[in-house]
């Protein structure tokens, strides 16, 4: 029993133990690598529009500070807990280390449903959250970014609140800000773009012709919608299935993704989008396609459906979409299903966040094409390293990716030593 007690945290720990066994991490060093350095819980009382006062719970977990500040998103979701936040922070550590970014992982957020709050209430809860976090974050301590349920506007409120307290504009305290206050061109699209770039590398390797391929994308938020648009319009893959929290849609002739995107921009979700058939959201994952992109929530690929997946490429846009038990089944099917594990697949977001932070620190701006080129170079390098390690050591792509990340953190901890 510990303060992180939660199924998702347990899953992150189980994944870590698999890696620790594989790379023979001494038992004495495991807890030090696995448990978060710091965890902060705050209560946020807010004046609601109806005159009442409501309190929300907020969290921030900083996993390790060995390589530099911690970095990670802030999610506003109804059931957020300390355990889930800690699991996500741990995954951020391995993700940043795999991409060779000078960061430890972090994650934070507020247990709330942002769609049920007015703009004024949302601003209130966002500003209050940052205000409570001021003693614990900073451009060289912990840098927040966006995640589920948050956006550029919320990052702007965070930045403004922090800056007002410091007395000057501190753009480098958050990433994923609007471009008008030091945000980076292309940050919003970066996670989805990275997902699609890696899918293209996998298709090259497997000699798959995009024009003959179909894709199903679960989740139509910032990652899923950008990935769907790029797959359909740039890569030429036929997107036959999409879903969000309200509906799952399938059309074997291909879905007009531009129309779906415009529909969501107007209506807020896919519920009333009528250009495809409604299907059971769980069944969508096991329908036939070449590329399956879970880009919504964690633990959607489980022992119940892992042996039923009919895709050739599983590109994990979400954090933690596959449980360790499902992983064992997928390992047995490694010749049929090519997995691009989450900490590689969705790393585009934090990589471009890193560029945004560096630009903020240096008061310097790069163009969108410079940012995208640099992003693809890092992803290409990480992808090649993961594939090489998996082949040489005969391990899964996930094990290879996580081992590279965990080893980098472990080496840094060993080099710095244990004080006192
Ligand atoms: N939310 C993103 C992730 O899960 C990254 C957030 C950031 O840029 O810090 O990778």
């Amino acid at each position: 029993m510990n303060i992180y007690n939660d199924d998702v945290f347990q899953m992150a720990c189980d994944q870590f133990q698999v890696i620790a066994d594989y790379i023979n991490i001494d038992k004495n060093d495991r807890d030090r690598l696995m448990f978060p350095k710091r965890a902060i819980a705050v209560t946020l009382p807010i004046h609601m529009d109806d005159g009442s006062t409501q309190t929300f719970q907020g969290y921030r977990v900083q996993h390790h500070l060995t390589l530099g500040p911690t970095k990670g998103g802030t999610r506003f979701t109804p059931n957020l807990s300390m355990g889930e936040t800690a699991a996500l922070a741990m995954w951020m550590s391995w993700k940043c280390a795999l991409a060779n970014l000078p960061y430890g992982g972090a994650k934070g957020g507020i247990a709330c449903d942002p769609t049920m709050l007015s703009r004024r209430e949302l601003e209130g809860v966002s500003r209050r959250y940052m205000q409570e976090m001021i003693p614990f974050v900073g451009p060289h301590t912990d840098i927040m970014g966006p995640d589920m349920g948050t956006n550029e506007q919320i990052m702007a409120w965070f930045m403004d609140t922090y800056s007002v307290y410091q007395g000057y504009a501190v753009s480098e305290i958050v990433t994923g800000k609007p471009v008008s206050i030091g945000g980076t061109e292309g940050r919003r699209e970066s996670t989805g773009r990275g997902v699609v770039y890696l899918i293209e590398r996998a298709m090259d390797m497997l000699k798959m012709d995009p024009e003959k391929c179909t894709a199903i994308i679960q989740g139509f938020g910032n990652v899923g919608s950008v990935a769907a648009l790029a797959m359909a319009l740039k890569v030429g893959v036929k997107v036959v299935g999409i879903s969000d929290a309200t509906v799952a849609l399938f059309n074997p002739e291909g879905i007009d993704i531009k129309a779906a995107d415009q529909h969501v921009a107007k209506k807020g979700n896919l519920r009333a989008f009528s250009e495809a058939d409604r299907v059971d959201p769980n069944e969508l994952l096991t329908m036939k396609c070449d590329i399956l992109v879970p880009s919504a929530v964690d633990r959607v690929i489980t022992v119940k459906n892992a042996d039923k997946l009919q895709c050739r490429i599983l590109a994990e846009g979400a954090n933690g979409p596959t449980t360790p038990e499902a992983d064992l089944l997928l390992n047995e099917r490694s010749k049929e299903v090519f997995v691009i594990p989450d900490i590689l697949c969705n790393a585009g977001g934090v990589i471009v966040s890193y560029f945004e932070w560096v630009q903020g620190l240096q008061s310097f701006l790069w163009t969108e094409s410079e940012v995208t080129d640099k992003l693809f170079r890092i992803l290409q390098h990480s992808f090649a390293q993961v594939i090489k390690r998996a082949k040489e050591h005969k391990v899964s792509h996930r094990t290879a990716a996580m081992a590279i990340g965990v080893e980098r953190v472990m080496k840094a901890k060993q080099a710095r030593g244990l004080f006192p």
Side-chain angles (χ1 to χ4, degrees):
M1 179 71 180
N2 58 64
I3 57 162
Y4 308 110
N5 202 16
D6 174 279
D7 289 349
V8 197
F9 186 67
Q10 192 54 51
M11 167 175 158
C13 293
D14 292 347
Q15 284 180 336
F16 170 79
Q17 296 296 355
V18 171
I19 304 306
D21 288 342
Y22 155 55
I23 55 178
N24 269 325
I25 300 180
D26 192 286
K27 293 262 184 278
N28 284 311
D29 292 330
R30 292 190 184 197
D31 281 1
R32 183 179 170 212
L33 271 161
M34 192 170 76
F35 281 104
K37 182 72 170 175
R38 283 188 204 133
I40 302 127
V42 290
T43 299
L44 312 167
I46 305 299
H47 288 301
M48 304 302 281
D49 290 350
D50 65 3
S52 66
T53 301
Q54 205 172 312
T55 51
F56 296 87
Q57 298 304 318
Y59 307 98
R60 185 78 183 162
V61 175
Q62 300 167 350
H63 185 248
H64 77 82
L65 288 128
T66 311
L67 285 160
T70 49
K71 180 80 192 88
T74 321
R75 61 172 54 180
F76 288 5
T77 49
N79 300 317
L80 189 70
S81 65
M82 184 65 102
E84 180 187 343
T85 312
L88 290 157
M90 198 193 313
W91 288 328
M92 284 306 295
S93 284
W94 316 143
K95 190 189 302 187
C96 291
L98 174 63
N100 240 334
L101 307 180
Y103 289 144
K107 197 68 111 194
I110 302 174
C112 72
D113 180 351
T115 64
M116 301 302 283
L117 298 175
S118 69
R119 186 181 160 94
R120 195 200 62 78
E121 290 165 342
L122 190 61
E123 177 170 357
V125 78
S126 303
R127 287 187 180 278
R128 187 64 190 239
Y129 175 77
M130 176 48 103
Q131 187 199 342
E132 296 293 344
M133 290 295 162
I134 286 174
F136 310 105
V137 298
H140 295 285
T141 315
D142 182 14
I143 304 120
M144 294 185 186
D147 198 87
M148 276 165 67
T150 58
N151 56 24
E152 291 183 358
Q153 178 59 70
I154 292 172
M155 296 306 114
W157 289 327
F158 284 169
M159 181 265 186
D160 183 66
T161 305
Y162 188 86
S163 299
V164 165
Y165 275 80
Q166 302 305 319
Y168 57 96
V170 189
S171 73
E172 61 275 21
I173 184 62
V174 293
T175 60
K177 305 174 288 290
V179 171
S180 59
I181 53 167
T184 289
E185 302 274 3
R187 169 63 186 86
R188 196 185 68 75
E189 298 82 3
S190 57
T191 313
R193 270 187 193 151
V195 168
V196 174
Y197 175 81
L198 291 165
I199 290 171
E200 286 186 276
R201 298 288 71 74
M203 286 199 294
D204 287 348
M205 251 186 85
L206 301 170
K207 303 200 179 1
M208 291 162 72
D209 177 358
E211 303 283 334
K212 293 190 184 128
C213 287
T214 57
I216 292 178
I217 296 165
Q218 182 196 43
F220 210 73
N222 187 34
V223 183
S225 65
V226 171
L229 281 167
M231 298 266 265
L233 304 176
K234 288 212 183 99
V235 187
V237 168
K238 194 198 285 179
V239 179
V240 292
I242 53 175
S243 71
D244 68 6
T246 64
V247 74
L249 301 166
F250 185 80
N251 181 349
E253 302 307 318
I255 297 171
D256 182 343
I257 298 298
K258 219 171 170 183
D261 192 52
Q262 282 162 357
H263 179 92
V264 172
K266 257 195 236 138
K267 310 268 176 187
N269 58 51
L270 284 169
R271 196 193 320 261
F273 186 66
S274 55
E275 292 172 38
D277 294 332
R278 284 168 173 246
V279 291
D280 179 329
N282 294 324
E283 276 167 29
L284 189 71
L285 293 172
T286 54
M287 294 175 88
K288 195 162 172 43
C289 65
D290 298 291
I291 303 145
L292 178 64
V293 189
S295 51
V297 293
D298 53 81
R299 294 176 299 162
V300 292
I301 298 173
T302 65
V303 275
K304 290 203 182 115
N305 58 11
D307 54 357
K308 297 197 191 95
L309 299 188
Q310 298 194 60
C311 58
R312 180 71 187 94
I313 296 174
L314 174 64
E316 296 182 342
N319 289 311
T322 305
T323 65
E325 298 77 22
D327 242 348
L328 295 175
L329 297 173
L330 289 179
N331 291 349
E332 283 166 25
R333 300 184 62 200
S334 63
K335 294 225 157 58
E336 296 159 64
V337 182
F338 184 102
V339 177
I340 310 177
D342 54 356
I343 61 165
L344 169 64
C345 193
N346 68 37
V350 74
I351 294 171
V352 175
S353 276
Y354 164 67
F355 299 152
E356 185 175 325
W357 175 68
V358 170
Q359 291 174 87
L361 289 174
Q362 300 182 344
S363 303
F364 188 73
L365 288 183
W366 296 322
T367 63
E368 184 163 354
S369 65
E370 282 174 301
V371 166
T372 310
D373 282 355
K374 285 185 211 294
L375 165 66
F376 289 168
R377 239 179 288 146
I378 293 181
L379 288 177
Q380 163 64 36
H381 184 65
S382 302
F383 181 78
Q385 283 189 314
V386 169
I387 300 298
K388 183 165 177 277
R389 171 109 179 208
K391 264 202 189 121
E392 284 176 4
H393 288 217
K394 297 196 175 29
V395 292
S396 71
H397 295 161
R398 186 181 323 280
T399 298
M402 280 188 62
I404 296 169
V406 172
E407 270 169 6
R408 285 189 180 143
V409 178
M410 186 176 66
K411 281 197 183 124
K413 281 197 187 284
Q414 281 165 351
R416 287 187 55 169
L418 190 57
F419 177 81

